[in-house]
Amino acid sequence: MPPGDDEDDDRPVLTVDLGAIVDNWRLLADKAWPAEAAAAVKADAYGLGMARVAPVLAAAGVTTFFVATAEEGIALRSLLSAPDIYVLNGVASRCAAAMVRHRLRPCLCSLSQIASWKESGEGSPAALHIDTGINRLGLPPDELAALAADGGQLRGLEIALVLSHLACGDDPDHRLNRRQLGDFRAAMAALNLADRPASLAASSGIFLGPDFHLALVRPGASIYGLAPLAGRPNPMRQALRLEGKIIQVRRVDRGMTVGYGATHPVGEPGRIAVVGLGYADGFFRALGNRGHGVLGGHRIPVVGRVSMDLITLDVSATPPGLASPGAWVEFIGPHHSIDELAQEADSIGYELLTALSRRYRRVYLEPAPGESPS
Ligand SMILES: Cc1ncc(COP(=O)(O)O)c(C=O)c1O
């Protein structure tokens, strides 16, 4: 049962354990030490609420944050005045002045962004983002060669950080990891930036070993409890609980079907519990006839399609006293991790987290005294 249960409130409850988030960041910071551990709080801290998460992380010792967009950076600056804030998606000319005003540091990813920040950045620091094989953002090889040949393009810019991003960091055996590390070092040397702070590792990169830590690591997902390495035991604490309340329990008989499209034929007489949680809440439609909840220690399958605001679960094998209106079903929590639910939806924890809806009643558990440094 979630904290502060209210009989009259049928909304699903999302409980965010800020203490677990702090513990997770500390575990990563210890592992990466002496590298600095930053925190990625883009996409509203992966859906968990940047306004609640970022101040707690800052109190725990985070001094560098990463967001995706200038808008996210401005929102973060209004919460925290001290930390360095890097904007991963770079700088669009329409936001340059606002980025300077709010002391945001763009991760410059092309020659044109370098030129534009030289012109409009008023000497403010920036990061240089080099692509070493993911072929997403970052200076591509031809632009890197042009920059190495004409270092003048960087003159007058304060490059406070050089970064690159791993394509396969969650697979420790993937040969691209070492190749990207080597290419990153070579690129920094070619640009005469070998003495600058460098960053390559996000969550999974931290677990590839000290070679990958460089000066700064920038985890996101693992801070929020997702497993950093695919298919390996998860060393992170679960920071999230999602519970939905049973609104109605109904009897069904052989020959009936459940839900839109009649996709679940009833084989034996049984009981169906209806919970007020649907795809409008980020409970993916792909979980229809595939997902699970947990009720009093019993795994109960989602049967029939997920609809906008409701799901149906087979509680035929659950003691009737447990499966009754008002009972809480755990969908994410100690008995069913985000990664498991994501797998059932044929997705990843990142997508599930960032889809979490505003419609939930949100409960934040503050770190216990002593969990944050005074
Ligand atoms: C460039 C960059 N750095 C850091 C991160 C944080 O990654 P993770 O959430 O896997 O720790 C991301 C996430 O997508 C990213 O794109």
Side-chain angles (χ1 to χ4, degrees), residues 40 42 46 66 88 129 136 163-165 201-204 218-224 350:
K42 60 202 174 92
Y46 290 47
F66 286 83
L88 287 165
H129 190 168
R136 206 180 57 170
L163 75 143
S164 190
H165 195 51
S203 291
S204 43
R218 32 174 224 279
S222 52
I223 296 179
Y224 310 114
Y350 292 71

Short mmCIF file of all heavy atoms in Angstrom, two decimals, residues 40 42 46 66 88 129 136 163-165 201-204 218-224 350, ligand 1:
data_model
loop_
_atom_site.label_atom_id
_atom_site.label_comp_id
_atom_site.label_asym_id
_atom_site.label_seq_id
_atom_site.Cartn_x
_atom_site.Cartn_y
_atom_site.Cartn_z
N ALA A 40 22.70 13.20 -15.07
CA ALA A 40 21.81 13.57 -16.18
C ALA A 40 20.39 13.66 -15.64
O ALA A 40 19.87 12.69 -15.07
CB ALA A 40 21.89 12.53 -17.30
N LYS A 42 17.92 15.17 -17.64
CA LYS A 42 17.11 15.56 -18.80
C LYS A 42 15.75 14.85 -18.74
O LYS A 42 15.57 13.92 -17.95
CB LYS A 42 17.85 15.22 -20.10
CG LYS A 42 18.18 13.76 -20.28
CD LYS A 42 19.34 13.61 -21.27
CE LYS A 42 19.81 12.19 -21.39
NZ LYS A 42 19.22 11.41 -22.42
N TYR A 46 14.23 11.97 -16.12
CA TYR A 46 13.73 10.71 -16.67
C TYR A 46 12.28 10.44 -16.20
O TYR A 46 11.89 9.30 -15.94
CB TYR A 46 14.65 9.55 -16.27
CG TYR A 46 16.01 9.57 -16.96
CD1 TYR A 46 16.76 10.73 -17.04
CD2 TYR A 46 16.54 8.40 -17.53
CE1 TYR A 46 18.00 10.75 -17.67
CE2 TYR A 46 17.78 8.42 -18.17
CZ TYR A 46 18.50 9.61 -18.22
OH TYR A 46 19.73 9.62 -18.84
N PHE A 66 23.56 17.45 -16.50
CA PHE A 66 23.34 17.41 -17.95
C PHE A 66 21.84 17.41 -18.22
O PHE A 66 21.09 16.65 -17.60
CB PHE A 66 23.97 16.15 -18.56
CG PHE A 66 25.46 16.24 -18.65
CD1 PHE A 66 26.25 15.93 -17.55
CD2 PHE A 66 26.09 16.66 -19.82
CE1 PHE A 66 27.64 16.03 -17.60
CE2 PHE A 66 27.47 16.78 -19.89
CZ PHE A 66 28.25 16.46 -18.78
N LEU A 88 23.03 18.97 -23.68
CA LEU A 88 23.56 17.94 -24.59
C LEU A 88 23.20 18.19 -26.05
O LEU A 88 23.96 17.83 -26.94
CB LEU A 88 23.04 16.56 -24.16
CG LEU A 88 23.68 15.99 -22.89
CD1 LEU A 88 22.86 14.83 -22.36
CD2 LEU A 88 25.11 15.53 -23.16
N HIS A 129 31.61 18.31 -28.29
CA HIS A 129 31.10 16.94 -28.41
C HIS A 129 31.66 16.31 -29.68
O HIS A 129 31.41 16.81 -30.78
CB HIS A 129 29.56 17.01 -28.45
CG HIS A 129 28.88 15.69 -28.31
ND1 HIS A 129 27.53 15.56 -28.09
CD2 HIS A 129 29.35 14.42 -28.38
CE1 HIS A 129 27.21 14.28 -28.02
NE2 HIS A 129 28.29 13.58 -28.20
N ARG A 136 25.54 9.90 -34.03
CA ARG A 136 24.37 10.67 -33.61
C ARG A 136 24.89 12.09 -33.46
O ARG A 136 25.42 12.64 -34.42
CB ARG A 136 23.83 10.04 -32.31
CG ARG A 136 22.38 10.26 -32.05
CD ARG A 136 21.93 9.62 -30.76
NE ARG A 136 22.66 10.07 -29.60
CZ ARG A 136 22.34 9.81 -28.34
NH1 ARG A 136 21.28 9.08 -28.07
NH2 ARG A 136 23.06 10.26 -27.34
N LEU A 163 33.52 15.80 -24.75
CA LEU A 163 32.78 14.57 -24.49
C LEU A 163 32.52 13.78 -25.77
O LEU A 163 32.55 14.33 -26.87
CB LEU A 163 31.46 14.84 -23.78
CG LEU A 163 30.29 15.42 -24.56
CD1 LEU A 163 28.99 14.81 -24.09
CD2 LEU A 163 30.24 16.92 -24.35
N SER A 164 32.30 12.49 -25.54
CA SER A 164 31.83 11.62 -26.61
C SER A 164 30.88 10.61 -25.96
O SER A 164 30.78 10.56 -24.73
CB SER A 164 33.01 10.92 -27.29
OG SER A 164 32.57 10.27 -28.46
N HIS A 165 30.16 9.84 -26.75
CA HIS A 165 29.13 8.95 -26.18
C HIS A 165 29.28 7.55 -26.76
O HIS A 165 29.46 7.38 -27.97
CB HIS A 165 27.75 9.53 -26.51
CG HIS A 165 26.63 8.95 -25.70
ND1 HIS A 165 26.67 8.87 -24.31
CD2 HIS A 165 25.44 8.42 -26.07
CE1 HIS A 165 25.54 8.33 -23.88
NE2 HIS A 165 24.79 8.04 -24.92
N ALA A 201 31.80 8.20 -20.34
CA ALA A 201 30.90 7.20 -19.75
C ALA A 201 29.60 7.80 -19.24
O ALA A 201 29.60 8.79 -18.50
CB ALA A 201 31.60 6.50 -18.58
N ALA A 202 28.48 7.17 -19.63
CA ALA A 202 27.19 7.41 -18.95
C ALA A 202 27.04 6.23 -17.98
O ALA A 202 28.05 5.67 -17.54
CB ALA A 202 26.08 7.50 -19.98
N SER A 203 25.81 5.84 -17.64
CA SER A 203 25.64 4.80 -16.60
C SER A 203 26.46 3.54 -16.88
O SER A 203 27.26 3.10 -16.06
CB SER A 203 24.16 4.37 -16.53
OG SER A 203 23.38 5.39 -16.01
N SER A 204 26.24 2.96 -18.06
CA SER A 204 26.86 1.66 -18.29
C SER A 204 28.37 1.78 -18.45
O SER A 204 29.11 0.90 -18.00
CB SER A 204 26.22 0.97 -19.49
OG SER A 204 26.04 1.89 -20.53
N ARG A 218 28.82 10.73 -16.55
CA ARG A 218 27.54 11.48 -16.57
C ARG A 218 26.35 10.51 -16.62
O ARG A 218 25.62 10.44 -17.62
CB ARG A 218 27.50 12.46 -17.76
CG ARG A 218 28.24 12.04 -19.00
CD ARG A 218 28.04 12.97 -20.16
NE ARG A 218 27.80 12.20 -21.36
CZ ARG A 218 28.76 11.64 -22.09
NH1 ARG A 218 30.04 11.80 -21.79
NH2 ARG A 218 28.43 10.93 -23.16
N PRO A 219 26.15 9.77 -15.51
CA PRO A 219 25.05 8.80 -15.47
C PRO A 219 23.69 9.47 -15.36
O PRO A 219 23.55 10.55 -14.81
CB PRO A 219 25.34 8.01 -14.19
CG PRO A 219 26.06 8.98 -13.31
CD PRO A 219 26.89 9.83 -14.24
N GLY A 220 22.69 8.78 -15.88
CA GLY A 220 21.30 9.18 -15.70
C GLY A 220 20.52 7.97 -15.19
O GLY A 220 20.24 7.83 -14.01
N ALA A 221 20.24 7.03 -16.10
CA ALA A 221 19.34 5.91 -15.82
C ALA A 221 19.65 5.16 -14.53
O ALA A 221 18.75 4.82 -13.76
CB ALA A 221 19.37 4.94 -17.00
N SER A 222 20.94 4.89 -14.28
CA SER A 222 21.28 4.07 -13.10
C SER A 222 21.01 4.85 -11.81
O SER A 222 20.73 4.25 -10.77
CB SER A 222 22.73 3.62 -13.16
OG SER A 222 23.57 4.73 -13.39
N ILE A 223 21.08 6.18 -11.86
CA ILE A 223 20.74 6.96 -10.66
C ILE A 223 19.28 6.68 -10.28
O ILE A 223 18.91 6.65 -9.12
CB ILE A 223 20.93 8.48 -10.92
CG1 ILE A 223 22.40 8.79 -11.20
CG2 ILE A 223 20.41 9.31 -9.75
CD1 ILE A 223 22.67 10.27 -11.48
N TYR A 224 18.45 6.46 -11.32
CA TYR A 224 17.02 6.25 -11.07
C TYR A 224 16.67 4.77 -10.89
O TYR A 224 15.51 4.41 -10.86
CB TYR A 224 16.21 6.89 -12.21
CG TYR A 224 16.67 8.31 -12.45
CD1 TYR A 224 17.30 8.68 -13.64
CD2 TYR A 224 16.55 9.27 -11.45
CE1 TYR A 224 17.78 9.98 -13.83
CE2 TYR A 224 17.03 10.56 -11.63
CZ TYR A 224 17.64 10.90 -12.82
OH TYR A 224 18.13 12.17 -12.98
N TYR A 350 14.20 2.93 -19.88
CA TYR A 350 14.28 4.36 -20.19
C TYR A 350 12.95 4.86 -20.75
O TYR A 350 12.46 5.92 -20.40
CB TYR A 350 15.34 4.63 -21.27
CG TYR A 350 16.78 4.41 -20.89
CD1 TYR A 350 17.28 3.13 -20.69
CD2 TYR A 350 17.65 5.48 -20.79
CE1 TYR A 350 18.62 2.94 -20.38
CE2 TYR A 350 18.99 5.29 -20.48
CZ TYR A 350 19.47 4.01 -20.29
OH TYR A 350 20.78 3.82 -19.98
C1 LIG B 1 25.19 12.14 -24.41
C2 LIG B 1 24.57 11.48 -23.22
N1 LIG B 1 25.23 11.45 -22.05
C3 LIG B 1 24.70 10.87 -20.94
C4 LIG B 1 23.48 10.24 -20.98
C5 LIG B 1 22.95 9.52 -19.77
O1 LIG B 1 22.87 8.15 -20.10
P1 LIG B 1 22.32 7.03 -19.12
O2 LIG B 1 20.92 7.40 -18.83
O3 LIG B 1 22.42 5.77 -19.90
O4 LIG B 1 23.18 7.02 -17.92
C6 LIG B 1 22.76 10.22 -22.19
C7 LIG B 1 21.44 9.57 -22.26
O5 LIG B 1 20.82 9.32 -23.22
C8 LIG B 1 23.32 10.86 -23.34
O6 LIG B 1 22.67 10.87 -24.51
#
